[in-house]
């Protein structure tokens, strides 16, 4: 316990945090009015956390060795540490220099994403059962940042508004788009592709490396009677052939790995027609390049990496793109993750029945940690609109807001049943 005690005394100023060790020993850290109490249930837990905080704390919670006393929960604990981490950068890094070196080497190896490995890494996360994702996502299964034009609105409404915003930035013609081809890289469960076809009549090819996503997306296209115009394939984007008038990539570039952004932008440049438009929607770092933490790459997104804006812009410049528009979307993902966390927690019994308590705790920790990095840390979302020719877009951004509003007005009212079920 001495190492954890030393670490917490250095980190926690805003609290108080009360730690009850497995033998009943109690210690308090930081000042404040409402104590948050955690309990360590095994003799090894304190060392497990202190020797590698980024990995050990999450795994201790997953294994039931770290418990949070009501009325607080793991989200409150993560928030407490994020508030304190802003005061002391790097305080929660592994204290052993050899362990830090090992972590850097492990991260470099994790970023190696050839075709033979990338599919397995994607399936690690996205091939959980359909029923699992239905418990916390909106009806359309949008598994990326929602756009909260109304902070008091619902997740369903915000995800509809996100699709409308992306579609508007593609600058598709409201009439006469039937012959245009759209490529949706990392198509998820098909919601965006179906949205684009519904409003513009364009042909859509969605590609993904998650088999169940592709199956379900094709089932949706068939049910909507548009399988002749909207299809989804299990294929690496690097193996796509042909030319497309528009390209969307929503929440996908985070999976290509650090060092592979040039390959991504070079391939998409070749796929896009000369008068086309591409919209890349990605999580981004507000500071410079960094590393994916050990817990996330082991349990959630193996091979994943969140890019800094400098990395994206440099890769675009090297591959011939012209940046047409950049929007930094702040706090939208924090609100989205908070709602996913709320719905996940409300459906604890169903998730445990589908999998087990450990996966439920892992998902809680993932959502809570991700939310706080967008709320208090250095993460935002980027919308990077790129073209080959500047003249393909209007001179002002007015077209984006007006087209998004038109699309929202044309959409049926979102189905609120999931929001009500999670209450």
């Amino acid at each position: 316990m001495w190492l954890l005690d030393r670490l917490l005394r250095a980190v926690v100023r805003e609290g108080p945090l009360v730690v009850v060790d497995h033998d009943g020993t109690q210690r308090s850290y930081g000042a404040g009015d409402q104590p948050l109490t955690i309990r360590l249930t095994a003799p090894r837990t304190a060392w497990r956390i202190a020797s590698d905080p980024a990995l050990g704390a999450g795994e201790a919670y997953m294994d039931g060795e770290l418990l949070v006393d009501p009325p607080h929960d793991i989200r409150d604990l993560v928030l407490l540490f994020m508030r304190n981490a802003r005061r002391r950068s790097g305080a929660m890094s592994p204290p052993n220099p050899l362990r830090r070196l090992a972590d850097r080497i492990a991260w470099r190896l994790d970023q190696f994403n050839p075709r033979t490995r990338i599919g397995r890494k994607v399936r690690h996360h996205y091939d959980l059962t359909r029923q699992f994702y239905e418990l916390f996502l909106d009806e359309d299964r949008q598994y990326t940042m929602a756009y909260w034009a109304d902070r008091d609105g619902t997740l369903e409404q915000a995800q509809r508004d996100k699709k409308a915003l992306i579609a508007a930035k593609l600058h598709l013609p409201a009439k006469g788009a039937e012959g245009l081809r759209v490529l949706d890289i990392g198509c998820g469960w098909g919601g965006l592709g179906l949205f684009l076809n519904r409003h513009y009549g364009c042909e859509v090819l969605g590609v993904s490396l998650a088999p169940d996503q592709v199956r379900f997306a094709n089932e949706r296209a068939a049910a909507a009677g548009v399988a002749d115009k909207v299809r989804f394939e299990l294929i690496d984007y690097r193996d796509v052939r042909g030319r497309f008038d528009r390209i969307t990539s929503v929440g996908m570039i985070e999976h290509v790995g650090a060092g592979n952004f040039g390959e991504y932008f070079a391939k998409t440049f070749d796929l896009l027609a000369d008068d086309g438009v591409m919209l890349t929607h990605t999580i981004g770092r507000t500071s410079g390049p960094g590393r994916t933490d050990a817990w996330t790459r082991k349990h959630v997104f193996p091979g994943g990496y969140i890019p800094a804006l400098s990395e994206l812009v440099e890769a675009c410049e090297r591959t011939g793109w012209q940046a047409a528009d950049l929007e930094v979307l702040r706090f939208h993902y924090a609100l989205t993750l908070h709602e996913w966390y709320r719905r996940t927690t409300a459906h604890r019994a169903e998730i445990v029945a589908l999998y087990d308590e450990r996966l439920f705790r892992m998902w809680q920790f993932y959502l809570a940690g991700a939310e706080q990095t967008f709320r208090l840390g250095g993460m935002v979302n980027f919308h990077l609109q790129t073209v080959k020719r500047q003249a393909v877009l209007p001179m002002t951004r007015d077209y984006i807001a007006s087209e998004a509003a038109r699309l929202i007005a044309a959409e049926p009212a979102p189905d609120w049943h999931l929001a009500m079920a999670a209450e």
Side-chain angles (χ1 to χ4, degrees):
M1 184 68 189
W2 67 270
L3 184 57
L4 181 60
D5 178 69
R6 178 183 173 186
L7 183 65
L8 293 177
R9 292 197 184 283
V11 172
V12 181
R13 294 287 183 267
E14 181 181 342
L17 172 67
V18 177
V19 179
V20 182
D21 201 3
H22 72 285
D23 59 2
T25 305
Q26 181 172 307
R27 296 174 176 84
S28 183
Y29 307 90
D33 299 326
Q34 297 183 345
L36 188 156
T37 300
I38 64 173
R39 299 180 183 275
L40 310 182
T41 64
R44 66 170 183 165
T45 308
W47 171 256
R48 185 181 189 185
I49 296 171
S51 61
D52 191 351
L55 184 62
E59 291 190 335
Y61 180 72
M62 290 167 58
D63 294 337
E65 293 184 12
L66 188 160
L67 305 177
V68 183
D69 279 5
H72 299 290
D73 66 3
I74 190 62
R75 180 176 175 271
D76 298 314
L77 179 63
V78 172
L79 177 59
L80 182 147
F81 274 101
M82 286 295 294
R83 288 199 305 261
N84 282 280
R86 291 186 299 176
R87 302 170 180 267
R88 186 181 174 89
S89 178
M92 298 306 288
S93 300
N96 187 317
L98 291 177
R99 190 181 288 272
R100 289 198 297 270
L101 176 61
D103 182 70
R104 284 196 295 270
I105 294 171
W107 177 73
R108 285 293 179 188
L109 293 173
D110 181 67
Q111 294 302 293
F112 181 56
N113 286 328
R115 286 170 173 79
T116 54
R117 294 180 64 187
I118 189 65
R120 173 174 53 81
K121 291 180 176 181
V122 169
R123 290 191 297 273
H124 174 91
H125 188 89
Y126 291 100
D127 261 10
L128 295 170
T129 64
R130 299 180 184 184
Q131 295 89 339
F132 172 73
Y133 285 103
E134 287 172 351
L135 293 172
F136 70 92
L137 296 181
D138 65 300
E139 184 183 44
D140 199 41
R141 296 193 186 198
Q142 290 295 307
Y143 190 36
T144 53
M145 177 212 85
Y147 183 68
W148 299 83
D150 177 5
R151 291 185 66 133
D152 297 321
T154 67
L155 177 64
E156 284 72 19
Q157 176 184 335
Q159 290 291 14
R160 176 204 63 189
D161 293 354
K162 184 268 299 292
K163 288 177 287 187
L165 180 64
I166 291 171
K169 291 182 178 183
L170 291 175
H171 194 49
L172 284 158
K175 294 183 179 180
E178 290 80 3
L180 298 183
R181 300 182 71 211
V182 178
L183 174 65
D184 185 14
I185 303 175
C187 59
W189 288 276
L192 178 60
L194 291 166
F195 182 94
L196 294 173
N197 171 263
R198 185 162 64 248
H199 287 281
Y200 298 102
C202 54
E203 297 180 13
V204 180
L205 171 63
V207 298
S208 170
L209 291 176
D212 190 58
Q213 286 189 336
V214 170
R215 283 192 296 270
F216 185 73
N218 278 316
E219 290 169 12
R220 294 181 69 185
V226 295
D228 58 329
K229 287 195 171 185
V230 183
R231 72 183 196 279
F232 302 92
E233 294 184 5
L234 186 70
I235 185 174
D236 192 302
Y237 82 96
R238 292 169 287 191
D239 296 324
V240 174
R241 298 290 181 266
R243 277 292 178 103
F244 298 86
D245 301 287
R246 301 291 188 272
I247 298 177
T248 59
S249 171
V250 182
M252 177 272 173
I253 199 171
E254 300 95 316
H255 295 283
V256 305
N260 298 323
F261 300 127
E263 180 183 37
Y264 165 86
F265 281 110
K267 176 62 179 180
T268 51
F269 188 89
D270 289 342
L271 290 171
L272 189 71
D274 290 342
D275 59 350
V277 180
M278 182 168 84
L279 192 283
T280 299
H281 166 125
T282 178
I283 301 170
R285 300 173 186 268
T286 56
S287 56
R291 289 204 310 272
T292 307
D293 68 274
W295 188 87
T296 299
R297 64 179 186 256
K298 178 178 179 180
H299 294 288
V300 185
F301 291 116
Y305 173 72
I306 306 302
L309 183 58
S310 58
E311 294 173 296
L312 298 178
V313 171
E314 191 272 339
C316 283
E317 291 173 347
R318 279 194 289 114
T319 51
W321 286 104
Q322 296 188 41
D325 189 81
L326 170 68
E327 184 171 6
V328 180
L329 299 149
R330 300 164 295 111
F331 304 119
H332 292 272
Y333 219 156
L335 296 174
T336 306
L337 287 155
H338 186 191
E339 179 62 13
W340 289 348
Y341 179 89
R342 186 185 71 83
R343 295 183 182 201
T344 293
T345 302
H347 290 287
R348 176 176 184 163
E350 295 97 317
I351 293 171
V352 171
L354 282 171
Y355 293 101
D356 54 29
E357 183 73 22
R358 192 172 192 268
L359 184 132
F360 169 76
R361 287 170 168 269
M362 183 270 281
W363 211 257
Q364 269 195 316
F365 191 81
Y366 149 55
L367 295 176
E371 177 196 344
Q372 300 313 327
T373 62
F374 285 92
R375 194 176 296 279
L376 298 173
M379 295 293 177
V380 294
N381 276 82
F382 298 137
H383 270 188
L384 180 59
Q385 185 193 50
T386 49
V387 296
K388 294 184 176 182
R389 298 174 178 172
Q390 291 183 357
V392 302
L393 292 169
M395 286 182 61
T396 71
R397 301 182 80 251
D398 297 348
Y399 72 95
I400 298 174
S402 60
E403 179 65 0
R406 184 189 73 82
L407 292 169
I408 291 168
E411 273 286 283
D415 191 333
W416 316 120
H417 78 276
L418 285 180
M420 293 186 292
E423 294 293 343

